Amino acid sequence: MTEMPQNPDAASGPIFSRMRTRLILLVLLPVIPMLALTFYTNLEERQNERARVREGAEALSQLAAAKEENFVKNTRQLLATLAEFPFLVFSTNRMICETHFTNLCRLSPDYQNFGLIEADGTLFCSAVKTNGRVNVSDRSYFQRVVETRRFAIGDFQVSRLTHLPSLNFSYPVLNGEGALVRVLFASLKLSLLNDEAAQILLPNGAVINVIDRTGTVLAQFPEPERWVGQSLTNIPFVQQILKQHKGTFEGPGIDGVPRLYAVTPIRDGNAPSLFVSVGIPVHVSFARADFILVRNLTVLSLVGLLTLAAARFYGQRYILKPVVALVAAAKRLADGDLKARSGISYGGGELSQLARAFDGMADTLEKRQVEIERAQAAINQINSELEQRVKDRTAQLEGLNRELEAFSYSVSHDLRAPLRHIDGFAQMLRKNSVGALDEKSTRYLGVIGDSAKRMGNLIDDLLAFSRMGRREISDVVVDTGALIREIIAELETDLRGRSIEWSIADLPQIRGDSAMLRVVWVNLISNAVKYTRPKEAARIEIGFENNSSTETIFYIRDNGVGFDMQYADNLFGVFQRLHRDAEFEGTGIGLASVRRVINRHGGRTWAEGQLNEGASFYFSIPKPTQRKL
Amino acid sequence: MKELKRILLVEDSENDIELTLEALSEFNLANEVVVVRDGAEALDYLFSRNQFASRPAGVPVVVLLDLKLPKVTGVEVLRQIKSEPLMKVIPVVIVTSSREEPDLRRCYELGCNAYVVKPVDFRQFADAIKKLGCFWAILNEPAPGIKRGN
């Protein structure tokens, strides 16, 4: 018998009910919340980052704005101071103005131009010499200051005078009545804004730009050359700034890179004129959070793998292997190998207990098997002894039977002979003594002879009766109807001169010993014939009853002399008679023989009678299923 | 010329012998009845041996053979008669008390010509003997080549 391979990998049932799968799932279970937590933490981090970035951007933007605003403040201060000098601002001498302004430019290299403008917009004088009449009434810085009569910041422009990109500031010159007579202006080098912006420490990928209220880029860092001077009112970024004025928003910048922007306005008076925005790329800000995520995931995976491996190893060694071993042992046990044991060492845990219990059970089974085999051997021994005894007893009985056979043989020879002699010589004596003997003596001789004959009959009957009991009973189909017809035919001589009305039913076939059953019917029928002799019209009825599932009952009814029911018990006794020999001949063995045969067939015999009315004799034959012959 | 037909009676019971002879004489079967009282004598007679060495020549027309005999049994006598070529043509009638089936079977297997049971009733017995005598000694034609006794 091939051993079941103790392979823990062998498939044993649907995958999810396998122990190993369950173990693995169990181990991985905590990993799932961990994973969730990791991702959630990452999200949190990102959000925090974003917030931080926003704050950073805002701070930076405010810082930048503050720095840029310095220029505005300084310029304002300067212009306000200049406005206090009437000799300057109300001067009509162009040359002196120009000289002053030129000196001013030299002193303040941040500015590329200073100047005065008449109330109608014509340029009076400026540090940068002009060759013709210049009108600046279209410039926003001029229009603003005229409108508000306060310090104003202009928009991006390319100066007509210097042909350089510049940002102009204006200051109103008011007369004694407070009406505007002239406008002081200063033209700031735009590069300064850029330089200032550039100095701010920006994180990677961040940008600073300064936009005027028309949407033109005044300063940009990095790549100022690319963007400065461009009017970008179409770009959503610029639109957002102009709309929002202040605060933070996310979106693609001028260069298309998505960033988080913080905007800070610089005002002149009330309305914001310049917008300083700092943008920090979002992905950069998330770099750290993502890094942490990756780190955590890696660690988690490693841990998960390690745990899996540990669980697999543990499960294999401490759970699966013993379980598989137990299963195999159980199978071997079931197949008949009673020496099969778990093979698991007895430690402490539940599996050890199981193994111990299993081994204990196997021990018990083995022991019991030994006991069973022993008992079986004992039974076999007893059986063969019994068989031997049966054989001996059978031999004994057969011996006895043979003895009886010999006995009856002897009887049939040896007892008959003297009887024959008695009768014979009595007859011969009678013959010889014809005339010599008187009537009484003759009668005596007759009695002697008759007695001898009677004894002969008795012997014959006894022999027949004994043979009935000793013969082995056979089990064949007996056609009762045919048998009876045969018997009646054989009784022809006895029936001569008799008028008997026969009423015979359609008798069934039964199973039994045909010779013995013949004896039964011969006896019963000849009895019926004999005891109806006194009746003129004899009627003999033979029938059967088939109402029971266990036996068939036969009967023979006659209207003969009947008998007194009082003596019914004696009817079937050996040599028992209810009539005198003078009335009806017979030895009284007939019914005894009937009873003997029927008993051997497992049936019953009984009779009913009424004096002078008739008699009925019954016997039952068990049906084949009931037969115990 | 009517020849005497010899009957061999093999019977050990004196009474039975007397009864048989009485029956035979009753019917004037004046045949020569040779009586032997055991199986050995029967064979000796038939084979003309020993004390019968000088018996008159010829074989009986019938042998009335009882089964229960001393020395040699009737069955053995029957067997010897029926296995001897010259003897086996002699009719053998078993006349015995036993109607036991084994006896019947054995005798017929050995080739007896008839089997008659001795009834207790003398009348019946005498009747049987008469019939046997009439038949075998008078009616029956013996086998050719058997010398008639004189």
Side-chain angles (χ1 to χ4, degrees), chain A residues 521 524 527-528 531 541 543 553-558 562-563 571-572 591 594 605-609 614-619:
Chain A
W521 284 115
L524 289 174
N527 273 359
Y531 289 98
E541 183 193 335
I553 298 175
F554 292 90
Y555 62 83
I556 176 165
R557 222 167 264 149
D558 66 61
F563 58 87
L571 270 176
F572 293 92
L591 286 177
V594 166
T605 48
W606 68 102
E608 286 160 10
S616 305
F617 290 86
Y618 302 86
F619 68 88

Side-chain angles (χ1 to χ4, degrees), chain A residues 74-85 89 171 184:
Chain A
N74 291 344
T75 311
R76 189 195 170 145
Q77 203 86 346
L78 184 60
L79 287 178
T81 311
L82 285 177
E84 292 302 307
F85 296 120
V89 297
Y171 202 87
L184 252 180

Side-chain angles (χ1 to χ4, degrees), chain A residues 218-487:
Chain A
L218 292 172
Q220 169 92 3
F221 187 80
E223 293 182 319
E225 354 40 79
R226 190 164 160 208
W227 298 109
V228 169
Q230 295 204 30
S231 174
L232 301 171
T233 40
N234 314 336
I235 295 181
F237 166 70
V238 170
Q239 285 166 358
Q240 182 70 26
I241 291 180
L242 292 178
K243 187 167 81 182
Q244 201 168 325
H245 290 183
K246 193 181 161 85
T248 59
F249 66 91
E250 246 183 87
I254 292 178
D255 55 359
V257 176
R259 293 191 183 84
L260 197 142
Y261 289 97
V263 181
T264 314
I266 298 177
R267 301 177 202 278
D268 60 358
N270 308 339
S273 309
L274 298 177
F275 302 96
V276 180
S277 63
V278 172
I280 301 180
V282 174
H283 76 268
V284 166
S285 67
F286 291 155
R288 173 138 184 89
D290 288 348
F291 168 73
I292 291 177
L293 177 72
V294 167
R295 184 193 68 188
N296 286 354
L297 280 176
T298 311
V299 170
L300 205 63
S301 314
L302 269 169
V303 168
L305 281 168
L306 276 171
T307 319
L308 263 171
R312 191 191 150 101
F313 170 75
Y314 181 83
Q316 201 94 306
R317 181 124 184 258
Y318 293 102
I319 299 178
L320 271 171
K321 187 147 151 263
V323 166
V324 168
L326 264 171
V327 167
K331 281 201 179 126
R332 284 207 308 279
L333 199 66
D335 279 340
D337 176 8
L338 291 179
K339 293 229 173 286
R341 296 291 182 274
S342 65
I344 298 167
S345 52
Y346 300 148
E350 293 86 342
L351 281 173
S352 291
Q353 283 179 13
L354 180 60
R356 203 176 288 134
F358 178 83
D359 288 342
M361 177 189 79
D363 283 336
T364 310
L365 280 171
E366 203 179 350
K367 236 174 270 166
R368 211 169 285 168
Q369 182 65 20
V370 168
E371 279 172 25
I372 287 173
E373 280 168 8
R374 212 179 288 147
Q376 187 66 36
I379 287 173
N380 288 348
Q381 173 75 9
I382 290 172
N383 267 351
S384 60
E385 275 174 20
L386 266 172
E387 274 178 31
Q388 184 57 37
R389 244 186 274 166
V390 166
K391 246 183 255 165
D392 292 343
R393 186 63 56 81
T394 311
Q396 206 178 42
L397 285 170
E398 280 173 355
L400 273 170
N401 226 24
R402 278 194 296 276
E403 281 177 28
L404 273 169
E405 284 279 348
F407 170 73
S408 69
Y409 184 81
S410 186
V411 160
S412 102
H413 270 268
D414 297 334
L415 282 186
R416 283 215 196 92
L419 291 175
R420 191 169 44 253
H421 303 156
I422 292 170
D423 184 53
F425 282 91
Q427 290 285 340
M428 292 202 306
L429 179 61
R430 210 154 66 166
K431 206 166 60 175
N432 274 359
S433 336
V434 163
L437 287 173
D438 62 349
E439 216 181 283
K440 212 184 271 185
S441 307
T442 314
R443 194 175 62 77
Y444 290 163
L445 282 171
V447 168
I448 292 170
D450 289 341
S451 302
K453 284 198 226 23
R454 179 165 176 78
M455 187 162 167
N457 288 341
L458 283 167
I459 289 169
D460 286 342
D461 286 345
L462 254 177
L463 277 176
F465 180 73
S466 118
R467 214 178 290 125
M468 210 76 59
R470 282 187 284 110
R471 249 191 58 185
E472 254 192 65
I473 189 168
S474 57
D475 184 21
V476 296
V477 174
V478 177
D479 186 346
T480 318
L483 180 63
I484 285 172
R485 283 191 291 279
E486 217 178 281
I487 293 167

Side-chain angles (χ1 to χ4, degrees), chain A residues 139-274:
Chain A
R139 299 292 201 197
S140 61
Y141 70 88
F142 178 77
Q143 286 169 352
R144 187 95 34 88
V145 71
V146 166
E147 199 183 305
T148 61
R149 294 191 307 154
R150 296 158 75 127
F151 172 72
I153 305 172
D155 298 327
F156 178 83
Q157 66 176 54
V158 177
S159 171
R160 292 193 183 109
L161 302 168
T162 62
H163 302 288
L164 292 171
S166 58
L167 184 66
N168 285 10
F169 299 85
S170 53
Y171 202 87
V173 176
L174 301 170
N175 61 9
E177 284 86 44
L180 187 103
V181 292
R182 274 200 181 143
V183 171
L184 252 180
F185 79 90
S187 187
L188 188 66
K189 286 185 192 163
L190 221 49
S191 57
L192 284 173
L193 289 175
N194 261 323
D195 294 342
E196 201 60 50
Q199 286 195 5
I200 296 184
L201 239 74
L202 290 173
N204 252 359
V207 297
I208 289 190
N209 52 38
V210 182
I211 297 176
D212 69 17
R213 63 175 95 81
T214 66
T216 314
V217 178
L218 292 172
Q220 169 92 3
F221 187 80
E223 293 182 319
E225 354 40 79
R226 190 164 160 208
W227 298 109
V228 169
Q230 295 204 30
S231 174
L232 301 171
T233 40
N234 314 336
I235 295 181
F237 166 70
V238 170
Q239 285 166 358
Q240 182 70 26
I241 291 180
L242 292 178
K243 187 167 81 182
Q244 201 168 325
H245 290 183
K246 193 181 161 85
T248 59
F249 66 91
E250 246 183 87
I254 292 178
D255 55 359
V257 176
R259 293 191 183 84
L260 197 142
Y261 289 97
V263 181
T264 314
I266 298 177
R267 301 177 202 278
D268 60 358
N270 308 339
S273 309
L274 298 177

Side-chain angles (χ1 to χ4, degrees), chain A residues 489-609:
Chain A
E490 281 169 12
L491 285 175
E492 195 207 305
T493 41
D494 294 336
L495 297 173
R496 220 174 288 160
R498 296 282 309 275
S499 64
I500 299 177
E501 184 193 317
W502 294 95
S503 169
I504 302 171
D506 188 11
L507 298 164
Q509 290 183 337
I510 50 169
R511 289 194 75 94
D513 185 308
S514 68
M516 289 192 186
L517 287 171
R518 170 177 255 277
V519 165
V520 166
W521 284 115
V522 163
N523 280 322
L524 289 174
I525 291 172
S526 45
N527 273 359
V529 166
K530 183 160 57 172
Y531 289 98
T532 53
R533 222 169 24 216
K535 293 281 174 82
E536 265 291 318
R539 221 177 40 253
I540 299 176
E541 183 193 335
I542 302 176
F544 73 103
E545 281 167 31
N546 205 2
N547 304 335
S548 162
S549 61
T550 51
E551 59 185 16
T552 316
I553 298 175
F554 292 90
Y555 62 83
I556 176 165
R557 222 167 264 149
D558 66 61
N559 64 344
V561 295
F563 58 87
D564 190 344
M565 278 298 282
Q566 206 182 30
Y567 305 112
D569 294 338
N570 295 344
L571 270 176
F572 293 92
V574 177
F575 291 153
Q576 295 274 16
R577 302 203 67 213
L578 294 185
H579 299 276
R580 280 167 288 156
D581 198 39
E583 297 170 318
F584 298 100
E585 70 287 3
T587 52
I589 202 88
L591 286 177
S593 296
V594 166
R595 173 161 280 187
R596 200 166 211 215
V597 167
I598 297 300
N599 279 355
R600 285 203 76 192
H601 279 73
R604 300 166 292 127
T605 48
W606 68 102
E608 286 160 10

